[in-house]
Amino acid sequence: MDVYQEAVGYLTSQHVPAVVQTETEVMEEDVFQEEADSCPLSPLHPQSVDFPDTPTLSSPEEMLERRLMVLKCIVESEEVYLRELEALLMPMKALRASAGTSKPVLSSQQVQTVFYQVPEISDMHQSFFSGLKERLSAHCRSEPGPGEDGQMSYTGFELLVGDLFLKMVNQLGLYGGFIGNYEEAVQVVRKCTQSDPRFRTLAQSMMSNIGSDKTRTKYTFEALLYKPLDRVTKTTLVLLDLLKTTPETHQDFALLQEALRLSRSFLSGVNESSQSKRGVTLSHGMRRKLMRDGFVVDASEGERHMRHLFLYTDLLLCTRFKHATRGKQDQYRFGWFLPLAGLKLRWVADQHRPPDAQLRLHTIRTKMHLLRQQLRQHAQGSKGLPFAARSRKKLEQVELMLLTHSPAYTLELHSPSGRSHTLLLSSLYELEEWRQAIHKLTADNIETVPPDLLTLTSACVKLRMTQQPPLHSTNAVEDEMCLCGTLSVAVHSACGLQQPASVYVCVEVDGYEFCDKQATTHSSIHSLNPHWDQELQFQVDAAQELRLLCVSQADGKNDTVLGKTSVKLESKTLNERWRRQTLHLGQVDVTVSLKFSPHPLEPPSATAPLHPVFCVPIEIVTQQEGVMVPHVVRCCAEEVERRGLAEVGIYRISGSSSDINTLKSVFNSNLRDAVTRLRRADVNVVSGVLKLYIRELPEPLIPADKFQSLARSLEIQDVDSRLVSLFSVLHSCPTPNRNTFLFLLHHLQRVSERQDTNKMTLMNLATIFGPSLLRLPVAELGHIGSSMDISVEVVLQVQVVFCYLQCNNLPEAQTSLPHDTDSEDETTHM
């Protein structure tokens, strides 16, 4: 069926007037009819350029000149459309605020219905408009003066925009939700216009600045609500106009063809999808509608397969996607389905991959990195386009393979009938979106009407909102706003928890997965205001978005996501200085700092770098962790304070040596896993780990060359003068040593405050820790060593630590590095 006729069929089915045109009239109609006056190069303008149906009738130079005209018209048209969407969205915030008052203009549900998908559509077109305008400006060095012919210094083959159109078309699924909701939204507008004078005044006098002269144009609410519906039906015509002026040898040609195919597929299904969504009505009046779809990895059969998952109002459908060959339509084959009624979900994170899986991932990442470098070399000129196209195709295949084998999050689905399926996802953020969408539907009393699986599967082509797996290699041109280099994220603290919990933060970045794109902090102690002060680093390429999730961890139970948010990454706002900001993740606020260092990425490493902490100088450990006090010290001390302050003989009674050595090995390889095990370990094992770490430091916390100075300080009779001397020596110690020592002193003082219960006085604690914190210098080669008796040495060690512990006004320890910022803290509301 012809695209225009299908669009007209849909508009008619929605009771929207549409002028039926002949095929010739449709082909001659331009997508910029409303903006013809503002765009002198519009094909509808009396003096417009008549583009031929096939590109062979003009020379490449003429085609590229006309192509530039079409692109300029598209930019102007997009700008007008964005102003119309802005005018439509302008009252949304006020209407939403009034919904919570005693006299609302619209209810919360009505506001959601009227503006459904409009903000997302606006964001999509804003991104497309900004990218297209920036690339046009970059290739046009100067604008023509009055009366002059525009001489553009550019090579038409270097102006690449196909990836922008393909990205935009891949998001046309947003219009699917808008179209399905349009009729209901219009009914709400009409009903409220008649019943509420306040809304009537608003709905009949909405203003927008239209045109280059910013003329204010008056619209009705319903007229603005029709704009997206009108716009999406013209997408195919836009692409046709652009393809007519793009030579077949141009790098954009194949991308624009794919965008045209996807656009036609979407528009051809507009009317059918509308009918399909009305095809099944459940007994309580709810219609079966597509709520969400996307690509996931299905591991139900023991092997990993990429599948297209569809979430309907009453069931979950898994299909096998078969990409169309030239001239044919995409197809879906039935995989399995599960009714949502009674469906149980459980997710877990697979933290450990077997060696063979790690090797396979490394091989795929190395191949992808090589192909990526080849494409960058070819992107510098217009030569070698056929080779570049082949490399890009290979890159897509390798990236798809990586998407299949890299997911580490498992989502288990269990139905009351005993059927179970396992899905794998690479992103915890995406998994949580799926979980929330399914949970929202299963929370209701759902009735499942047995589906016609053949019809339902066949309709997936028309209903789908996601056209293809999320491959970054589909972008033909590197966006200058994307990040390539080292992104550092320091996670400081959180607040807003409803009850004390052990919490960790998961951080994800997008872009090519040459290296791990996800990292987590260690779990905090049970607290209402958890602190981490942990720095995470990512090697990123083409990164545009940062995602954060705050997750509560409970022993023996599933982890629970407390909140999530996403942040756009822009090279203009990030540099090598820390930028601190507070992010709102629902009810939880998380404070983070970001910095970015641009540089080309090295090839992927075969093994992840290990950063052992035991038997390593403390300055190295604190530097690689980005802190002032090693995490092993903080985590063990916090765990002892959480559940060991009432333990009789804490730090005096030893734990199992095998358990202590096991935890030592885990701390040397995986901090988060170590902290998780720490939560379950015997408290005497936890205290043993802390004592072992301090004892095995190559250099004690108080450097050996300070021993004699401290011994002389003890000889001072005046208590105040003695403390001044002791702290003067401490102040001369390296910063990590000093802060870790002070942190331990505060911790041991808190332990001693419970001495009536745990029987551990300050002297007892000084006796245990003194020999590890302070040591006599080792005799240098060729010199006579100290003749100090070992018993005298121990007495001095204990006395020094005891004097420090007796101080009532110890300086506070700085646990994290100072994150200098260029500006004041920012607060981001999500």
Side-chain angles (χ1 to χ4, degrees):
M1 180 185 292
D2 181 81
V3 173
Y4 181 81
Q5 295 299 329
E6 291 172 351
V8 169
Y10 171 73
L11 296 179
T12 303
S13 70
Q14 302 296 323
H15 309 293
V16 177
V19 179
V20 180
Q21 298 172 295
T22 64
E23 182 175 354
T24 304
E25 291 172 331
V26 172
M27 293 303 297
E28 290 178 353
E29 181 183 10
D30 183 69
V31 298
F32 312 115
Q33 183 173 1
E34 295 180 14
E35 296 84 24
D37 295 335
S38 63
C39 182
L41 297 175
S42 168
L44 289 186
H45 195 275
Q47 299 178 354
S48 65
V49 179
D50 183 19
F51 295 128
D53 289 338
T54 58
T56 57
L57 301 180
S58 302
S59 66
E61 292 77 12
E62 292 175 332
M63 292 178 64
L64 292 173
E65 183 178 353
R66 293 171 179 173
R67 182 174 185 263
L68 181 61
M69 296 177 184
V70 171
L71 289 173
K72 290 177 68 177
C73 285
I74 293 175
V75 168
E76 292 190 21
S77 174
E78 282 292 306
E79 187 173 11
V80 172
Y81 180 46
L82 283 170
R83 291 198 189 111
E84 292 170 342
L85 291 177
E86 182 183 2
L88 176 59
L89 289 170
M90 192 171 297
M92 182 178 69
K93 186 175 182 180
L95 290 172
R96 186 174 290 168
S98 75
T101 64
S102 58
K103 295 182 179 180
V105 178
L106 296 180
S107 67
S108 298
Q109 181 61 44
Q110 287 175 326
V111 173
Q112 182 178 355
T113 300
V114 169
F115 295 102
Y116 183 68
Q117 295 287 45
V118 178
E120 290 80 3
I121 290 173
S122 179
D123 290 343
M124 176 189 76
H125 280 275
Q126 182 62 58
S127 175
F128 171 71
F129 169 75
S130 300
L132 186 58
K133 185 176 181 180
E134 182 178 353
R135 292 189 189 177
L136 282 176
S137 300
H139 284 78
C140 298
R141 294 183 180 178
S142 62
E143 291 294 335
E148 299 178 2
D149 292 333
Q151 299 297 325
M152 303 300 177
S153 299
Y154 75 97
T155 302
F157 280 95
E158 294 179 355
L159 178 54
L160 303 176
V161 297
D163 62 307
L164 297 177
F165 283 89
L166 186 57
K167 180 180 178 181
M168 186 264 290
V169 169
N170 275 324
Q171 300 178 68
L172 283 182
L174 294 173
Y175 279 99
F178 177 86
I179 291 170
N181 180 75
Y182 174 75
E183 184 179 355
E184 188 175 352
V186 170
Q187 290 176 354
V188 170
V189 170
R190 290 175 178 173
K191 178 181 178 181
C192 294
T193 300
Q194 296 174 357
S195 61
D196 193 324
R198 296 173 298 171
F199 186 78
R200 184 185 311 120
T201 302
L202 170 68
Q204 294 179 351
S205 58
M206 300 180 70
M207 306 298 292
S208 174
N209 296 327
I210 303 297
S212 57
D213 57 351
K214 307 297 188 203
T215 303
R216 292 182 64 80
T217 303
K218 184 175 180 180
Y219 288 95
T220 64
F221 204 122
E222 190 173 338
L224 284 174
L225 202 58
Y226 177 75
K227 293 296 180 180
L229 197 68
D230 178 62
R231 191 63 167 188
V232 70
T233 59
K234 297 179 178 179
T235 305
T236 300
L237 298 176
V238 171
L239 293 166
L240 282 171
D241 281 344
L242 193 54
L243 265 174
K244 290 176 184 178
T245 60
T246 302
E248 293 185 5
T249 55
H250 198 289
Q251 192 171 344
D252 271 349
F253 192 80
L255 293 172
L256 292 174
Q257 277 191 321
E258 175 65 9
L260 178 62
R261 184 189 67 81
L262 295 175
S263 176
R264 279 174 166 165
S265 176
F266 174 80
L267 285 179
S268 66
V270 165
N271 192 36
E272 290 186 38
S273 66
S274 176
Q275 296 302 323
S276 297
K277 290 177 182 179
R278 292 171 172 79
V280 177
T281 301
L282 309 184
S283 62
H284 56 274
M286 186 179 69
R287 299 174 299 180
R288 175 177 291 152
K289 300 173 69 173
L290 178 64
M291 309 303 292
R292 179 183 176 88
D293 72 309
F295 287 85
V296 299
V297 176
D298 181 19
S300 302
E301 301 174 0
E303 297 182 359
R304 298 186 175 209
H305 299 284
M306 185 66 68
R307 296 291 185 249
H308 201 154
L309 193 66
F310 293 84
L311 174 63
Y312 291 90
T313 46
D314 64 329
L315 60 87
L316 198 62
L317 175 68
C318 182
T319 64
R320 289 174 287 177
F321 174 65
K322 183 179 180 181
H323 198 284
T325 57
R326 179 171 296 182
K328 295 184 178 180
Q329 192 179 40
D330 293 340
Q331 294 181 356
Y332 285 93
R333 295 180 180 177
F334 172 76
W336 50 262
F337 88 98
L338 288 175
L340 295 186
L343 189 65
K344 302 296 183 182
L345 285 75
R346 177 178 178 270
W347 71 269
V348 293
D350 182 12
Q351 298 294 330
H352 304 285
R353 291 191 179 101
D356 59 333
Q358 290 282 15
L359 180 60
R360 180 168 58 245
L361 284 181
H362 170 67
T363 304
I364 297 173
R365 286 173 172 175
T366 302
K367 179 66 174 178
M368 191 166 69
H369 184 271
L370 177 62
L371 291 170
R372 173 81 165 142
Q373 298 305 315
Q374 292 176 353
L375 277 175
R376 279 180 168 166
Q377 294 174 2
H378 294 302
Q380 298 176 358
S382 59
K383 297 182 179 180
L385 290 180
F387 183 82
R390 289 195 298 269
S391 297
R392 185 174 301 283
K393 187 66 175 178
K394 291 180 181 179
L395 180 59
E396 292 177 7
Q397 294 172 349
V398 173
E399 190 178 2
L400 185 61
M401 188 182 304
L402 183 65
L403 283 176
T404 304
H405 292 285
S406 64
Y409 285 98
T410 301
L411 179 61
E412 299 175 356
L413 309 170
H414 303 281
S415 70
S417 63
R419 289 189 297 165
S420 299
H421 291 278
T422 301
L423 303 178
L424 301 176
L425 296 97
S426 301
S427 164
L428 179 58
Y429 192 97
E430 183 182 359
L431 184 148
E432 178 61 13
E433 288 188 329
W434 275 106
R435 191 202 64 79
Q436 287 180 341
I438 295 173
H439 177 74
K440 183 178 180 180
L441 293 172
T442 55
D444 301 327
N445 186 19
I446 299 176
E447 171 197 7
T448 301
V449 174
D452 181 344
L453 296 177
L454 180 61
T455 302
L456 194 61
T457 304
S458 300
C460 289
V461 176
K462 310 298 182 182
L463 299 177
R464 61 182 178 178
M465 295 179 281
T466 305
Q467 303 291 336
Q468 58 185 8
L471 302 178
H472 289 84
S473 49
T474 55
N475 293 331
V477 180
E478 187 67 29
D479 190 343
E480 295 180 358
M481 298 298 293
C482 297
L483 305 188
C484 181
T486 300
L487 176 68
S488 300
V489 183
V491 184
H492 302 299
S493 60
C495 61
L497 298 182
Q498 300 301 307
Q499 57 185 3
S502 179
V503 177
Y504 65 89
V505 174
C506 177
V507 183
E508 301 176 349
V509 292
D510 63 352
Y512 288 97
E513 193 180 345
F514 301 131
C515 305
D516 289 337
K517 300 193 300 181
Q518 185 183 83
T520 59
T521 66
H522 63 78
S523 299
S524 69
I525 62 171
H526 276 68
S527 171
L528 282 173
N529 300 292
H531 286 76
W532 300 277
D533 288 322
Q534 186 172 347
E535 182 178 336
L536 309 174
Q537 284 193 346
F538 302 90
Q539 302 300 310
V540 299
D541 187 3
Q544 302 180 72
E545 187 178 58
L546 178 75
R547 296 172 170 180
L548 287 93
L549 301 97
C550 189
V551 187
S552 174
Q553 189 177 44
D555 294 338
K557 298 180 181 180
N558 293 339
D559 292 357
T560 303
V561 176
L562 302 178
K564 60 183 176 63
T565 190
S566 61
V567 180
K568 290 185 178 180
L569 299 174
E570 297 181 355
S571 57
K572 295 179 180 178
T573 58
L574 291 175
N575 51 45
E576 297 187 14
R577 287 178 60 84
W578 288 103
R579 179 187 175 195
R580 192 181 183 99
Q581 54 187 315
T582 299
L583 305 177
H584 292 269
L585 288 68
Q587 295 181 342
V588 182
D589 293 347
V590 177
T591 302
V592 300
S593 293
L594 305 178
K595 72 175 181 179
F596 172 67
S597 176
H599 61 81
L601 291 190
E602 297 293 329
S605 173
T607 57
L610 296 177
H611 300 293
V613 295
F614 280 78
C615 305
V616 177
I618 192 170
E619 61 269 19
I620 295 178
V621 174
T622 52
Q623 182 179 9
Q624 69 189 17
E625 292 183 348
V627 294
M628 287 295 189
V629 178
H631 288 305
V632 61
V633 175
R634 291 177 55 192
C635 293
C636 289
E638 290 173 350
E639 191 63 20
V640 168
E641 292 181 22
R642 184 171 76 90
R643 56 189 177 95
L645 292 182
E647 186 78 13
V648 176
I650 187 69
Y651 285 118
R652 179 175 57 80
I653 299 176
S654 299
S656 167
S657 58
S658 61
D659 292 344
I660 291 174
N661 287 324
T662 298
L663 272 173
K664 170 186 172 180
S665 300
V666 180
F667 266 110
N668 279 332
S669 59
N670 189 316
L671 175 62
R672 186 185 165 206
D673 191 18
V675 175
T676 301
R677 296 192 183 199
L678 208 65
R679 299 285 186 262
R680 300 192 295 264
D682 179 78
V683 71
N684 289 314
V685 171
V686 176
S687 64
V689 172
L690 177 56
K691 291 190 295 181
L692 180 65
Y693 173 77
I694 296 172
R695 187 166 62 247
E696 291 189 346
L697 282 173
E699 176 80 1
L701 281 182
I702 303 297
D705 58 6
K706 308 294 182 185
F707 187 91
Q708 298 298 340
S709 299
L710 291 171
R712 288 191 294 271
S713 298
L714 288 180
E715 298 175 357
I716 300 175
Q717 297 300 316
D718 182 70
V719 176
D720 293 337
S721 299
R722 185 193 309 153
L723 284 176
V724 170
S725 179
L726 287 172
F727 280 105
S728 175
V729 175
L730 180 60
H731 186 71
S732 65
C733 295
T735 302
N737 298 57
R738 181 176 68 253
N739 283 288
T740 303
F741 185 74
L742 286 172
F743 180 87
L744 276 173
L745 292 179
H746 282 285
H747 167 63
L748 296 178
Q749 284 182 339
R750 286 189 288 270
V751 172
S752 180
E753 289 173 359
R754 301 285 298 275
Q755 60 181 287
D756 292 342
T757 303
N758 58 38
K759 310 303 180 185
M760 297 302 294
T761 63
L762 289 178
M763 179 55 75
N764 289 342
L765 294 169
T767 303
I768 293 170
F769 281 90
S772 299
L773 295 173
L774 179 64
R775 303 172 203 162
L776 191 68
V778 178
E780 296 182 4
L781 185 63
H783 294 76
I784 299 176
S786 172
S787 58
M788 182 178 293
D789 184 83
I790 184 65
S791 61
V792 177
E793 176 188 350
V794 171
V795 169
L796 285 173
Q797 292 166 332
V798 173
Q799 287 297 324
V800 168
V801 175
F802 182 64
C803 286
Y804 279 117
L805 286 173
Q806 284 183 307
C807 181
N808 294 324
N809 55 347
L810 281 174
E812 290 295 328
Q814 181 181 346
T815 58
S816 61
L817 289 171
H819 295 92
D820 299 329
T821 59
D822 292 322
S823 58
E824 297 182 356
D825 291 3
E826 300 178 4
T827 300
T828 305
H829 298 268
M830 296 292 173

